[in-house]
Amino acid sequence: MKVFNTLSRRKEDFAPIGGDVRMYSCGPTVYSYAHIGNFRTYIFMDLLRRVLKYDGYKINGVMNITDVGHLLSDGDTGEDKMQKSAKEQNKSPYEIADFYSAAFFEDMKKLNIDLPERIVKATEHIQEMIDYVKTLQEKGYAYEISDGIYFDIEKFGGYGKLSGANLGEQIAGARVEVNDEKHNPADFALWKKAEKEHIMQWDSPWGSGYPGWHIECSAMSIKYLGRHFDIHTGGVDHIPIHHENEIAQNEALTGDKSVNYWIHSEFLLVDGGKMSKSLKNNYTVKQLEERGYTALEYRFFCLNAHYRKKLNFTFEGMDGAKTALIRLNNTLALHKASAVRTPLEITAAYKKEFDEAVNDDLNIPLALGVLFKMLKEKKSEDVYKAALDMDRILGLRLDASAATADKGEAAEAEDNIPDEIKLIAEKRKAAKADKNYALADTLRKEAEEKGYKIIDTKDGVEISILK
Ligand code: AMP
Ligand code: ZN
């Protein structure tokens, strides 16, 4: 499998360190509903995990839940997002975290995103974070000022290697400086000393406080995946600050490389701009449902764009995805119902093409094209089965949907038959049971004159509209 590594800025062959593939994915900050932009990133994570599994790897995956310490500004200022939301809703931050975590998992399920093997909460790993910061301080990478403990980026030689920014650019890019005690404007908080009104706070060697957002991911990834692991994922917005800071912390701690492959997914845009909670231009899965779209239709919408390309969200795009997915399921239902055999080499050739696409840096749009091409083959259950195999990666629940589409079509056909014709069919059935074949024939002709065809099948009769 080839993947694009943000660290090297090129596609590389994936080679695991050994044993299970160890993978960390930055999870949600649970102060509000996750929006469909966030879910684009988790759909990407899911696709990556599914391709790895498809290739036979076992995965040891970890995703965090940020339930403390993510401040409103990336410059370590502003209120804690959890605390702000708690105040607004007159609840405790823990209640807020529980509520929005549950909503997040419900949406993940609807989107058919398989959860990583381990989900970890920041508030349950405070001691690990304190120990981590203590070590960084002992090693000379951290210093204390009046509002917290900060990482000294100038002490760490490799700062900026992920985003390709040099220290000068990082400093110039740092937000308007409000804290002149910091050695360097781009130094970031490892631990913040809490003001009295900060609800979530813990004892530490530096007084009562709470962790910085970046140390959370470093502490939890190292705890569960070790000091050197295979893959780290997240959205592209995390490259210049959050992930740059994770690298600085980890490598300062261990003196060595910590993650082999950094893989990032591009943004979901709306009207050509960023979709984000702060801009209030975001939609949730529930809002899509209220407008008549299913979560799987949104998943399908995302699959049509490569994860490293920006994707513009529009309702026209969703309409297109909806129609295409319904058509896909209807076609699959027809394949499923056919007893015709397709030679193995034909389905195998499509599968090979599909495998190559997904293994080429997750080229899912190309892989979908292969599926659509295959569905144009003569209707055959073998094609249906090959499509289900591809769905192990696509995750569109094609088995369940094709079954519903199947039933749906039959039920729809049944509804279109007038009672008068159904009665004729019943009478004909009785005539046949009486061995009165002349009457049975007359009744069939009568139905045909009215535009309906009665066909005997092994399960009884089928009525269809004469074309
Ligand atoms: P947050 O809950 O804000 O920490 O974000 C959770 C994940 O969603 C992160 O990996 C972000 O990079 C990602 N993300 C945020 N906004 C978008 C967007 N508009 N499109 C895609 N991913 C996003
Ligand atoms: Zn993170």
Side-chain angles (χ1 to χ4, degrees):
M1 177 188 193
K2 278 191 177 355
V3 285
F4 186 90
N5 191 347
T6 308
L7 201 55
S8 64
R9 288 165 199 83
R10 58 182 181 83
K11 270 197 227 176
E12 291 177 20
D13 280 317
F14 175 69
I17 297 167
D20 296 354
V21 173
R22 281 169 282 158
M23 171 166 163
Y24 187 87
S25 303
C26 284
T29 307
V30 284
Y31 67 105
S32 173
Y33 290 108
H35 59 66
I36 56 173
N38 301 132
F39 284 116
R40 182 182 186 204
T41 293
Y42 301 118
I43 290 170
F44 146 73
M45 169 197 81
D46 185 47
L47 291 170
L48 177 58
R49 288 171 47 83
R50 283 171 183 260
V51 174
L52 288 167
K53 284 191 190 167
Y54 193 79
D55 287 350
Y57 293 112
K58 272 191 71 188
I59 306 176
N60 176 7
V62 176
M63 186 174 74
N64 66 293
I65 298 287
T66 300
D67 53 359
V68 65
H70 195 169
L71 305 188
L72 284 175
S73 144
D74 281 338
D76 296 319
T77 55
E79 229 177 329
D80 188 311
K81 292 184 181 188
M82 295 301 301
Q83 167 132 338
K84 181 168 185 281
S85 179
K87 267 203 245 160
E88 281 165 4
Q89 300 192 33
N90 205 15
K91 293 201 170 105
S92 83
Y94 293 98
E95 284 172 313
I96 293 289
D98 282 350
F99 179 82
Y100 290 112
S101 298
F104 174 76
F105 291 121
E106 206 177 298
D107 286 348
M108 292 284 272
K109 203 166 168 188
K110 283 182 181 165
L111 289 159
N112 204 17
I113 298 172
D114 290 338
L115 292 183
E117 287 61 30
R118 210 190 287 264
I119 307 289
V120 293
K121 280 193 208 173
T123 49
E124 290 173 1
H125 297 82
I126 302 294
Q127 191 54 50
E128 286 86 343
M129 296 169 201
I130 292 174
D131 293 343
Y132 200 132
V133 178
K134 262 197 321 210
T135 311
L136 289 180
Q137 206 178 15
E138 281 156 21
K139 291 192 168 200
Y141 288 103
Y143 60 90
E144 182 170 359
I145 55 176
S146 48
D147 78 341
I149 311 297
Y150 282 78
F151 188 93
D152 195 334
I153 58 167
E154 241 162 318
K155 292 261 164 69
F156 174 68
Y159 198 78
K161 63 172 139 186
L162 188 65
S163 52
N166 63 35
L167 206 52
E169 287 172 52
Q170 287 285 338
I171 294 166
R175 303 276 159 105
V176 183
E177 199 39 52
V178 288
N179 188 341
D180 53 16
E181 284 182 68
K182 286 205 292 192
H183 295 179
N184 192 310
D187 288 352
F188 56 91
L190 296 164
W191 185 265
K192 292 274 292 203
K193 297 178 185 175
E195 293 102 40
K196 260 197 234 71
E197 60 275 16
H198 201 277
I199 303 165
M200 291 171 137
Q201 44 181 295
W202 294 264
D203 283 341
S204 81
W206 318 281
S208 190
Y210 56 96
W213 172 39
H214 320 297
I215 199 74
E216 297 179 1
C217 285
S218 279
M220 292 186 282
S221 59
I222 286 188
K223 171 165 182 179
Y224 295 106
L225 302 175
R227 291 173 163 227
H228 184 202
F229 58 93
D230 295 293
I231 301 176
H232 196 310
T233 68
V236 287
D237 57 326
H238 284 170
I239 299 171
I241 297 175
H242 185 49
H243 289 168
E244 203 74 84
N245 293 353
E246 274 190 53
I247 292 179
Q249 293 166 156
N250 292 6
E251 298 192 3
L253 182 87
T254 67
D256 221 337
K257 183 175 187 173
S258 62
V259 178
N260 284 355
Y261 303 89
W262 286 87
I263 313 179
H264 294 96
S265 62
E266 253 299 349
F267 259 48
L268 181 75
L269 306 180
V270 57
D271 301 326
K274 183 183 168 176
M275 173 176 285
S276 84
K277 284 170 213 166
S278 53
L279 297 173
K280 296 198 165 62
N281 62 359
N282 59 313
Y283 296 100
T284 60
V285 169
K286 196 162 156 235
Q287 283 167 334
L288 289 191
E289 287 174 338
E290 282 162 5
R291 288 183 178 233
Y293 304 100
T294 66
L296 283 182
E297 285 160 5
Y298 176 65
R299 182 180 175 107
F300 183 71
F301 174 79
C302 290
L303 297 192
N304 282 280
H306 190 262
Y307 77 93
R308 285 196 291 118
K309 293 252 160 64
K310 291 184 177 67
L311 173 60
N312 199 28
F313 177 82
T314 60
F315 284 103
E316 294 78 60
M318 277 302 292
D319 288 338
K322 186 182 193 62
T323 311
L325 188 58
I326 290 173
R327 231 179 258 156
L328 168 59
N329 279 306
N330 285 341
T331 311
L332 269 180
L334 297 175
H335 279 285
K336 189 183 178 188
S338 166
V340 173
R341 300 307 310 258
T342 302
L344 186 63
E345 56 272 23
I346 293 186
T347 46
Y350 285 114
K351 268 211 60 196
K352 184 165 175 282
E353 223 185 307
F354 181 89
D355 288 4
E356 280 166 7
V358 297
N359 279 294
D360 182 13
D361 192 27
L362 301 187
N363 197 338
I364 306 292
L366 188 64
L368 270 180
V370 177
L371 168 65
F372 280 110
K373 205 161 59 171
M374 182 177 79
L375 292 180
K376 293 206 178 103
E377 290 286 336
K378 224 191 272 139
K379 298 288 174 289
S380 138
E381 203 191 349
D382 297 317
V383 168
Y384 170 72
K385 284 184 180 153
L388 288 199
D389 195 51
M390 294 174 180
D391 197 44
R392 283 164 49 207
I393 288 175
L394 305 174
L396 294 168
R397 296 201 180 111
L398 294 180
D399 53 342
S401 327
T404 336
D406 204 1
K407 268 192 228 122
E409 274 194 353
E412 207 178 303
E414 170 106 21
D415 286 348
N416 286 334
I417 308 296
D419 287 346
E420 182 197 5
I421 306 297
K422 286 183 191 161
L423 190 66
I424 296 175
E426 281 302 311
K427 283 191 196 155
R428 181 173 166 273
K429 194 173 152 193
K432 272 180 70 183
D434 285 348
K435 299 199 166 38
N436 187 347
Y437 298 113
L439 178 59
D441 269 356
T442 313
L443 288 164
R444 185 184 12 220
K445 280 197 190 103
E446 195 182 323
E448 279 175 4
E449 277 156 23
K450 292 181 194 289
Y452 293 87
K453 193 173 173 61
I454 301 174
I455 308 151
D456 294 306
T457 67
K458 63 178 186 341
D459 305 322
V461 291
E462 215 177 85
I463 311 173
S464 61
I465 301 170
L466 270 176
K467 300 252 159 66

